[in-house]
């Protein structure tokens, strides 16, 4: 969607604050042996007590309130009996529908004593997100986001998961423009417009460039032994710096 009124901005800001509140509460509850289902229950409680609805469940019948992915799991991991252990890289992705507006956020959180490569990967992914947001200005090409993400990944010695990317958002969880950036396009002539609402969410990895779906129909993974980090903001495009609707993500 594009911002059409002050009401739109206020609604999106409320949704943005709620997803950040949920993800921070889930991070605070992480402990050795806690299950991903227990973390999901915390996120659901915060979302529903505010009068909102978990967006993946509402729009797609996803079988949980939030997505929690660990280590080789890249995205859309279904919360369940898996227990968090020291050394895990835990990605939490939260999105809500709140009074007709949708916001989406995500962060990768190292837990306990992780391999040295993990904080480096997280820092590089945060850098890639910042550079992507810097490139997302009204009138600029969407392919410029791809270029800056690739540049950061290459400079830091990581790869980019190319079949996962940001997207339009606002009234629904996924709207036009789809896939920002879109690695499947040989030439991407799309440009950002003022007021456009979208997510930016680079996925940097320790080797793979593609995530594959498991038999559960949701979870996307790479080969065992790899790590992937993701950080995601919902933003509003302006002529200069974007308006970040999801300020306050947990960062390493």
């Amino acid at each position: 969607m594009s911002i059409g009124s002050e009401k739109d901005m206020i609604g999106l800001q409320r949704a943005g604050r709620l997803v950040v509140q949920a993800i921070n509460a889930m991070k605070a509850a992480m402990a050795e042996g806690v299950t991903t289902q227990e973390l999901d229950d915390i996120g659901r409680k915060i979302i529903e007590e505010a009068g909102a609805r978990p967006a993946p469940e509402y729009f797609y019948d996803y079988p949980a309130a939030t997505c929690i992915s660990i280590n080789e799991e890249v995205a859309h991991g279904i919360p369940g009996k898996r227990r968090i252990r020291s050394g895990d890289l835990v990605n939490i992705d939260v999105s809500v529908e709140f009074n007709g507006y949708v916001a989406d956020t995500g962060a990768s959180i190292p837990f306990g004593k992780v391999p040295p490569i993990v904080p480096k990967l997280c820092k590089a992914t945060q850098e890639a997100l910042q550079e992507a947001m810097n490139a997302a200005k009204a009138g600029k090409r969407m392919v410029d986001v791809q270029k800056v993400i690739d540049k950061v990944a290459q400079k830091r010695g990581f790869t980019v998961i190319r079949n996962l990317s940001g997207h339009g958002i606002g009234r629904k969880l996924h709207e036009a423009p789809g896939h920002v950036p879109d690695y499947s396009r040989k030439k991407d002539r799309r440009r950002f417009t003022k007021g456009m609402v979208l997510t930016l969410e680079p996925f940097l990895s320790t080797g793979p460039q593609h995530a594959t779906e498991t038999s559960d129909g949701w979870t996307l993974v790479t080969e065992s032994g790899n790590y992937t980090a993701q950080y995601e903001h919902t933003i509003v495009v302006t002529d200069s710096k974007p308006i970040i609707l999801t300020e306050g993500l947990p960062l390493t």
Side-chain angles (χ1 to χ4, degrees):
M1 68 174 286
S2 290
I3 296 291
S5 65
E6 184 179 358
K7 179 184 176 182
D8 287 342
M9 182 64 76
I10 292 171
L12 288 165
Q13 288 173 330
R14 286 173 175 166
R17 286 195 294 269
L18 183 58
V19 292
V20 171
Q21 180 186 352
I23 200 171
N24 278 306
M26 293 167 73
K27 179 192 176 183
M30 285 173 54
E32 185 78 24
V34 167
T35 67
T36 53
Q37 182 61 64
E38 289 170 326
L39 294 183
D40 185 70
D41 290 342
I42 291 168
R44 178 183 291 280
K45 183 178 180 181
I46 289 171
I47 292 166
E48 294 183 345
E49 284 185 349
R53 296 180 282 199
E57 186 178 71
Y58 177 61
F59 288 106
Y60 298 114
D61 290 326
Y62 176 77
T66 68
C67 301
I68 305 177
S69 309
I70 299 177
N71 298 336
E72 74 282 354
E73 296 173 345
V74 178
H76 306 162
I78 302 172
K81 296 180 180 179
R82 185 168 182 172
R83 297 185 182 276
I84 294 174
R85 302 298 185 191
S86 180
D88 284 342
L89 179 59
V90 183
N91 180 270
I92 302 176
D93 195 310
V94 181
S95 54
V96 301
E97 188 278 334
F98 191 17
N99 293 332
Y101 295 96
V102 183
D104 189 4
T105 195
S108 293
I109 304 161
F111 179 74
K113 188 176 182 180
V114 296
I117 193 68
V118 169
K120 294 178 181 178
L121 174 65
C122 291
K123 184 177 180 180
T125 310
Q126 292 167 23
E127 181 183 351
L129 174 57
Q130 185 59 57
E131 291 299 319
M133 291 193 296
N134 291 343
K137 298 178 182 179
K140 297 296 184 181
R141 301 178 304 166
M142 293 186 189
V143 73
D144 291 340
V145 168
Q146 177 180 325
K147 291 179 178 179
V148 298
I149 291 173
D150 288 349
K151 183 177 179 179
V152 171
Q154 185 176 18
K155 179 174 65 175
R156 301 302 180 194
F158 298 110
T159 55
V160 178
I161 301 294
R162 294 170 175 261
N163 61 319
L164 287 167
S165 60
H167 51 86
I169 194 171
R171 292 291 188 176
K172 297 180 180 179
L173 183 53
H174 294 94
E175 300 181 3
H179 302 290
V180 182
D182 190 345
Y183 285 87
S184 70
R185 293 174 182 248
K186 291 184 178 180
K187 292 184 179 180
D188 190 351
R189 295 183 173 86
R190 299 175 301 166
R191 292 183 181 270
F192 296 105
T193 57
K194 188 173 182 178
M196 179 182 286
V197 186
L198 71 153
T199 72
L200 292 175
E201 49 179 317
F203 289 78
L204 269 59
S205 184
T206 53
Q209 297 184 27
H210 187 86
T212 57
E213 190 176 278
T214 65
S215 59
D216 68 18
W218 293 102
T219 308
L220 295 167
V221 301
T222 60
E223 298 84 357
S224 181
N226 289 289
Y227 293 94
T228 299
Q230 174 250 23
Y231 295 87
E232 176 182 17
H233 274 311
T234 300
I235 67 169
V236 179
V237 174
T238 73
D239 292 323
S240 55
K241 292 183 179 180
I243 299 168
I244 301 173
L245 301 171
T246 47
E247 290 271 20
L249 274 183
L251 303 176
T252 54

PDB file of all heavy atoms in Angstrom, residues 87-89 110-124 156 158 206 225 227 252:
ATOM      1  N   GLY A  87      24.474 -21.975  21.848  1.00  0.00           N
ATOM      2  CA  GLY A  87      25.093 -22.135  20.540  1.00  0.00           C
ATOM      3  C   GLY A  87      24.137 -21.976  19.392  1.00  0.00           C
ATOM      4  O   GLY A  87      24.552 -21.914  18.228  1.00  0.00           O
ATOM      5  N   ASP A  88      22.836 -21.868  19.692  1.00  0.00           N
ATOM      6  CA  ASP A  88      21.837 -21.718  18.628  1.00  0.00           C
ATOM      7  C   ASP A  88      21.767 -20.276  18.128  1.00  0.00           C
ATOM      8  O   ASP A  88      21.947 -19.326  18.896  1.00  0.00           O
ATOM      9  CB  ASP A  88      20.445 -22.101  19.137  1.00  0.00           C
ATOM     10  CG  ASP A  88      20.239 -23.597  19.251  1.00  0.00           C
ATOM     11  OD1 ASP A  88      21.017 -24.354  18.642  1.00  0.00           O
ATOM     12  OD2 ASP A  88      19.293 -24.002  19.969  1.00  0.00           O
ATOM     13  N   LEU A  89      21.473 -20.143  16.849  1.00  0.00           N
ATOM     14  CA  LEU A  89      21.093 -18.865  16.266  1.00  0.00           C
ATOM     15  C   LEU A  89      19.593 -18.937  16.025  1.00  0.00           C
ATOM     16  O   LEU A  89      19.126 -19.704  15.179  1.00  0.00           O
ATOM     17  CB  LEU A  89      21.845 -18.600  14.962  1.00  0.00           C
ATOM     18  CG  LEU A  89      21.488 -17.287  14.252  1.00  0.00           C
ATOM     19  CD1 LEU A  89      21.754 -16.083  15.143  1.00  0.00           C
ATOM     20  CD2 LEU A  89      22.260 -17.158  12.941  1.00  0.00           C
ATOM     21  N   PRO A 110      21.588 -14.635  18.614  1.00  0.00           N
ATOM     22  CA  PRO A 110      22.510 -15.672  19.088  1.00  0.00           C
ATOM     23  C   PRO A 110      22.218 -15.984  20.553  1.00  0.00           C
ATOM     24  O   PRO A 110      22.042 -15.071  21.365  1.00  0.00           O
ATOM     25  CB  PRO A 110      23.888 -15.028  18.917  1.00  0.00           C
ATOM     26  CG  PRO A 110      23.687 -13.847  18.027  1.00  0.00           C
ATOM     27  CD  PRO A 110      22.281 -13.390  18.288  1.00  0.00           C
ATOM     28  N   PHE A 111      22.176 -17.271  20.881  1.00  0.00           N
ATOM     29  CA  PHE A 111      21.886 -17.659  22.262  1.00  0.00           C
ATOM     30  C   PHE A 111      23.063 -18.434  22.851  1.00  0.00           C
ATOM     31  O   PHE A 111      23.514 -19.426  22.288  1.00  0.00           O
ATOM     32  CB  PHE A 111      20.612 -18.507  22.333  1.00  0.00           C
ATOM     33  CG  PHE A 111      20.285 -18.944  23.736  1.00  0.00           C
ATOM     34  CD1 PHE A 111      19.772 -18.035  24.654  1.00  0.00           C
ATOM     35  CD2 PHE A 111      20.538 -20.232  24.149  1.00  0.00           C
ATOM     36  CE1 PHE A 111      19.496 -18.427  25.959  1.00  0.00           C
ATOM     37  CE2 PHE A 111      20.266 -20.644  25.448  1.00  0.00           C
ATOM     38  CZ  PHE A 111      19.742 -19.735  26.360  1.00  0.00           C
ATOM     39  N   GLY A 112      23.528 -17.975  23.991  1.00  0.00           N
ATOM     40  CA  GLY A 112      24.614 -18.669  24.686  1.00  0.00           C
ATOM     41  C   GLY A 112      25.940 -18.543  23.960  1.00  0.00           C
ATOM     42  O   GLY A 112      26.217 -17.534  23.300  1.00  0.00           O
ATOM     43  N   LYS A 113      26.746 -19.584  24.059  1.00  0.00           N
ATOM     44  CA  LYS A 113      28.077 -19.578  23.470  1.00  0.00           C
ATOM     45  C   LYS A 113      27.987 -20.051  22.023  1.00  0.00           C
ATOM     46  O   LYS A 113      27.937 -21.248  21.741  1.00  0.00           O
ATOM     47  CB  LYS A 113      29.021 -20.477  24.273  1.00  0.00           C
ATOM     48  CG  LYS A 113      30.477 -20.374  23.838  1.00  0.00           C
ATOM     49  CD  LYS A 113      31.383 -21.200  24.725  1.00  0.00           C
ATOM     50  CE  LYS A 113      32.850 -21.054  24.298  1.00  0.00           C
ATOM     51  NZ  LYS A 113      33.755 -21.861  25.171  1.00  0.00           N
ATOM     52  N   VAL A 114      27.978 -19.107  21.098  1.00  0.00           N
ATOM     53  CA  VAL A 114      27.830 -19.436  19.682  1.00  0.00           C
ATOM     54  C   VAL A 114      29.197 -19.449  19.000  1.00  0.00           C
ATOM     55  O   VAL A 114      30.152 -18.834  19.488  1.00  0.00           O
ATOM     56  CB  VAL A 114      26.906 -18.422  18.971  1.00  0.00           C
ATOM     57  CG1 VAL A 114      25.501 -18.497  19.530  1.00  0.00           C
ATOM     58  CG2 VAL A 114      27.460 -17.005  19.087  1.00  0.00           C
ATOM     59  N   PRO A 115      29.326 -20.116  17.855  1.00  0.00           N
ATOM     60  CA  PRO A 115      30.573 -20.078  17.091  1.00  0.00           C
ATOM     61  C   PRO A 115      30.926 -18.643  16.703  1.00  0.00           C
ATOM     62  O   PRO A 115      30.028 -17.820  16.486  1.00  0.00           O
ATOM     63  CB  PRO A 115      30.260 -20.920  15.856  1.00  0.00           C
ATOM     64  CG  PRO A 115      29.146 -21.826  16.280  1.00  0.00           C
ATOM     65  CD  PRO A 115      28.324 -21.014  17.249  1.00  0.00           C
ATOM     66  N   PRO A 116      32.222 -18.312  16.606  1.00  0.00           N
ATOM     67  CA  PRO A 116      32.641 -16.937  16.302  1.00  0.00           C
ATOM     68  C   PRO A 116      32.042 -16.375  15.016  1.00  0.00           C
ATOM     69  O   PRO A 116      31.869 -15.165  14.891  1.00  0.00           O
ATOM     70  CB  PRO A 116      34.166 -17.059  16.203  1.00  0.00           C
ATOM     71  CG  PRO A 116      34.516 -18.249  17.035  1.00  0.00           C
ATOM     72  CD  PRO A 116      33.376 -19.202  16.873  1.00  0.00           C
ATOM     73  N   ILE A 117      31.704 -17.248  14.066  1.00  0.00           N
ATOM     74  CA  ILE A 117      31.166 -16.775  12.799  1.00  0.00           C
ATOM     75  C   ILE A 117      29.779 -16.168  12.964  1.00  0.00           C
ATOM     76  O   ILE A 117      29.371 -15.296  12.188  1.00  0.00           O
ATOM     77  CB  ILE A 117      31.111 -17.937  11.764  1.00  0.00           C
ATOM     78  CG1 ILE A 117      30.868 -17.406  10.354  1.00  0.00           C
ATOM     79  CG2 ILE A 117      30.053 -18.960  12.141  1.00  0.00           C
ATOM     80  CD1 ILE A 117      32.012 -16.628   9.794  1.00  0.00           C
ATOM     81  N   VAL A 118      29.050 -16.579  13.999  1.00  0.00           N
ATOM     82  CA  VAL A 118      27.656 -16.152  14.146  1.00  0.00           C
ATOM     83  C   VAL A 118      27.517 -14.661  14.416  1.00  0.00           C
ATOM     84  O   VAL A 118      26.748 -13.976  13.718  1.00  0.00           O
ATOM     85  CB  VAL A 118      26.941 -17.002  15.217  1.00  0.00           C
ATOM     86  CG1 VAL A 118      25.587 -16.402  15.581  1.00  0.00           C
ATOM     87  CG2 VAL A 118      26.758 -18.433  14.721  1.00  0.00           C
ATOM     88  N   PRO A 119      28.213 -14.083  15.413  1.00  0.00           N
ATOM     89  CA  PRO A 119      28.069 -12.628  15.590  1.00  0.00           C
ATOM     90  C   PRO A 119      28.558 -11.829  14.390  1.00  0.00           C
ATOM     91  O   PRO A 119      28.013 -10.753  14.096  1.00  0.00           O
ATOM     92  CB  PRO A 119      28.904 -12.334  16.845  1.00  0.00           C
ATOM     93  CG  PRO A 119      29.722 -13.543  17.083  1.00  0.00           C
ATOM     94  CD  PRO A 119      29.006 -14.693  16.479  1.00  0.00           C
ATOM     95  N   LYS A 120      29.548 -12.343  13.674  1.00  0.00           N
ATOM     96  CA  LYS A 120      30.011 -11.663  12.460  1.00  0.00           C
ATOM     97  C   LYS A 120      28.911 -11.665  11.399  1.00  0.00           C
ATOM     98  O   LYS A 120      28.689 -10.672  10.713  1.00  0.00           O
ATOM     99  CB  LYS A 120      31.273 -12.334  11.927  1.00  0.00           C
ATOM    100  CG  LYS A 120      32.483 -12.199  12.839  1.00  0.00           C
ATOM    101  CD  LYS A 120      33.696 -12.924  12.270  1.00  0.00           C
ATOM    102  CE  LYS A 120      34.894 -12.819  13.197  1.00  0.00           C
ATOM    103  NZ  LYS A 120      36.064 -13.560  12.682  1.00  0.00           N
ATOM    104  N   LEU A 121      28.239 -12.800  11.273  1.00  0.00           N
ATOM    105  CA  LEU A 121      27.140 -12.918  10.319  1.00  0.00           C
ATOM    106  C   LEU A 121      25.999 -11.968  10.687  1.00  0.00           C
ATOM    107  O   LEU A 121      25.438 -11.282   9.821  1.00  0.00           O
ATOM    108  CB  LEU A 121      26.633 -14.362  10.294  1.00  0.00           C
ATOM    109  CG  LEU A 121      25.387 -14.653   9.461  1.00  0.00           C
ATOM    110  CD1 LEU A 121      25.642 -14.425   7.985  1.00  0.00           C
ATOM    111  CD2 LEU A 121      24.901 -16.087   9.711  1.00  0.00           C
ATOM    112  N   CYS A 122      25.668 -11.909  11.963  1.00  0.00           N
ATOM    113  CA  CYS A 122      24.580 -11.036  12.408  1.00  0.00           C
ATOM    114  C   CYS A 122      24.920  -9.566  12.152  1.00  0.00           C
ATOM    115  O   CYS A 122      24.083  -8.798  11.668  1.00  0.00           O
ATOM    116  CB  CYS A 122      24.293 -11.272  13.881  1.00  0.00           C
ATOM    117  SG  CYS A 122      23.559 -12.886  14.236  1.00  0.00           S
ATOM    118  N   LYS A 123      26.150  -9.188  12.476  1.00  0.00           N
ATOM    119  CA  LYS A 123      26.566  -7.801  12.271  1.00  0.00           C
ATOM    120  C   LYS A 123      26.518  -7.434  10.789  1.00  0.00           C
ATOM    121  O   LYS A 123      26.071  -6.342  10.412  1.00  0.00           O
ATOM    122  CB  LYS A 123      27.974  -7.590  12.827  1.00  0.00           C
ATOM    123  CG  LYS A 123      28.448  -6.145  12.749  1.00  0.00           C
ATOM    124  CD  LYS A 123      29.823  -5.977  13.384  1.00  0.00           C
ATOM    125  CE  LYS A 123      30.300  -4.533  13.303  1.00  0.00           C
ATOM    126  NZ  LYS A 123      31.646  -4.358  13.916  1.00  0.00           N
ATOM    127  N   ALA A 124      26.976  -8.346   9.931  1.00  0.00           N
ATOM    128  CA  ALA A 124      26.953  -8.089   8.492  1.00  0.00           C
ATOM    129  C   ALA A 124      25.523  -7.960   7.975  1.00  0.00           C
ATOM    130  O   ALA A 124      25.232  -7.115   7.113  1.00  0.00           O
ATOM    131  CB  ALA A 124      27.678  -9.207   7.750  1.00  0.00           C
ATOM    132  N   ARG A 156      31.952  -8.886   3.493  1.00  0.00           N
ATOM    133  CA  ARG A 156      32.061  -9.553   4.801  1.00  0.00           C
ATOM    134  C   ARG A 156      32.266 -11.062   4.695  1.00  0.00           C
ATOM    135  O   ARG A 156      32.374 -11.745   5.708  1.00  0.00           O
ATOM    136  CB  ARG A 156      30.803  -9.265   5.633  1.00  0.00           C
ATOM    137  CG  ARG A 156      30.539  -7.782   5.880  1.00  0.00           C
ATOM    138  CD  ARG A 156      31.686  -7.104   6.582  1.00  0.00           C
ATOM    139  NE  ARG A 156      31.412  -5.686   6.816  1.00  0.00           N
ATOM    140  CZ  ARG A 156      32.334  -4.811   7.172  1.00  0.00           C
ATOM    141  NH1 ARG A 156      33.584  -5.192   7.335  1.00  0.00           N
ATOM    142  NH2 ARG A 156      32.017  -3.538   7.352  1.00  0.00           N
ATOM    143  N   PHE A 158      30.166 -13.397   3.150  1.00  0.00           N
ATOM    144  CA  PHE A 158      28.958 -14.206   3.248  1.00  0.00           C
ATOM    145  C   PHE A 158      28.209 -14.241   1.910  1.00  0.00           C
ATOM    146  O   PHE A 158      28.581 -13.542   0.969  1.00  0.00           O
ATOM    147  CB  PHE A 158      28.044 -13.655   4.349  1.00  0.00           C
ATOM    148  CG  PHE A 158      28.673 -13.683   5.713  1.00  0.00           C
ATOM    149  CD1 PHE A 158      29.048 -12.507   6.349  1.00  0.00           C
ATOM    150  CD2 PHE A 158      28.917 -14.887   6.350  1.00  0.00           C
ATOM    151  CE1 PHE A 158      29.645 -12.526   7.601  1.00  0.00           C
ATOM    152  CE2 PHE A 158      29.518 -14.929   7.605  1.00  0.00           C
ATOM    153  CZ  PHE A 158      29.886 -13.747   8.223  1.00  0.00           C
ATOM    154  N   THR A 206      26.182 -18.381   5.587  1.00  0.00           N
ATOM    155  CA  THR A 206      27.577 -18.811   5.627  1.00  0.00           C
ATOM    156  C   THR A 206      27.971 -19.645   4.413  1.00  0.00           C
ATOM    157  O   THR A 206      29.025 -20.265   4.412  1.00  0.00           O
ATOM    158  CB  THR A 206      27.854 -19.616   6.913  1.00  0.00           C
ATOM    159  OG1 THR A 206      26.895 -20.685   7.021  1.00  0.00           O
ATOM    160  CG2 THR A 206      27.771 -18.734   8.136  1.00  0.00           C
ATOM    161  N   GLY A 225      24.573 -27.464   9.252  1.00  0.00           N
ATOM    162  CA  GLY A 225      25.906 -26.941   9.500  1.00  0.00           C
ATOM    163  C   GLY A 225      26.074 -25.495   9.078  1.00  0.00           C
ATOM    164  O   GLY A 225      27.081 -24.864   9.404  1.00  0.00           O
ATOM    165  N   TYR A 227      24.597 -21.423   8.814  1.00  0.00           N
ATOM    166  CA  TYR A 227      23.814 -20.440   9.559  1.00  0.00           C
ATOM    167  C   TYR A 227      23.319 -19.373   8.586  1.00  0.00           C
ATOM    168  O   TYR A 227      24.027 -19.010   7.642  1.00  0.00           O
ATOM    169  CB  TYR A 227      24.657 -19.758  10.639  1.00  0.00           C
ATOM    170  CG  TYR A 227      25.092 -20.657  11.759  1.00  0.00           C
ATOM    171  CD1 TYR A 227      26.335 -21.289  11.725  1.00  0.00           C
ATOM    172  CD2 TYR A 227      24.279 -20.869  12.873  1.00  0.00           C
ATOM    173  CE1 TYR A 227      26.749 -22.112  12.761  1.00  0.00           C
ATOM    174  CE2 TYR A 227      24.688 -21.691  13.917  1.00  0.00           C
ATOM    175  CZ  TYR A 227      25.927 -22.306  13.854  1.00  0.00           C
ATOM    176  OH  TYR A 227      26.335 -23.122  14.886  1.00  0.00           O
ATOM    177  N   THR A 252      22.336  -7.613  18.030  1.00  0.00           N
ATOM    178  CA  THR A 252      23.490  -8.133  18.769  1.00  0.00           C
ATOM    179  C   THR A 252      24.473  -7.011  19.028  1.00  0.00           C
ATOM    180  O   THR A 252      24.513  -6.014  18.330  1.00  0.00           O
ATOM    181  CB  THR A 252      24.182  -9.222  17.941  1.00  0.00           C
ATOM    182  OG1 THR A 252      24.509  -8.719  16.640  1.00  0.00           O
ATOM    183  CG2 THR A 252      23.281 -10.425  17.797  1.00  0.00           C
TER     184      THR A 252
END
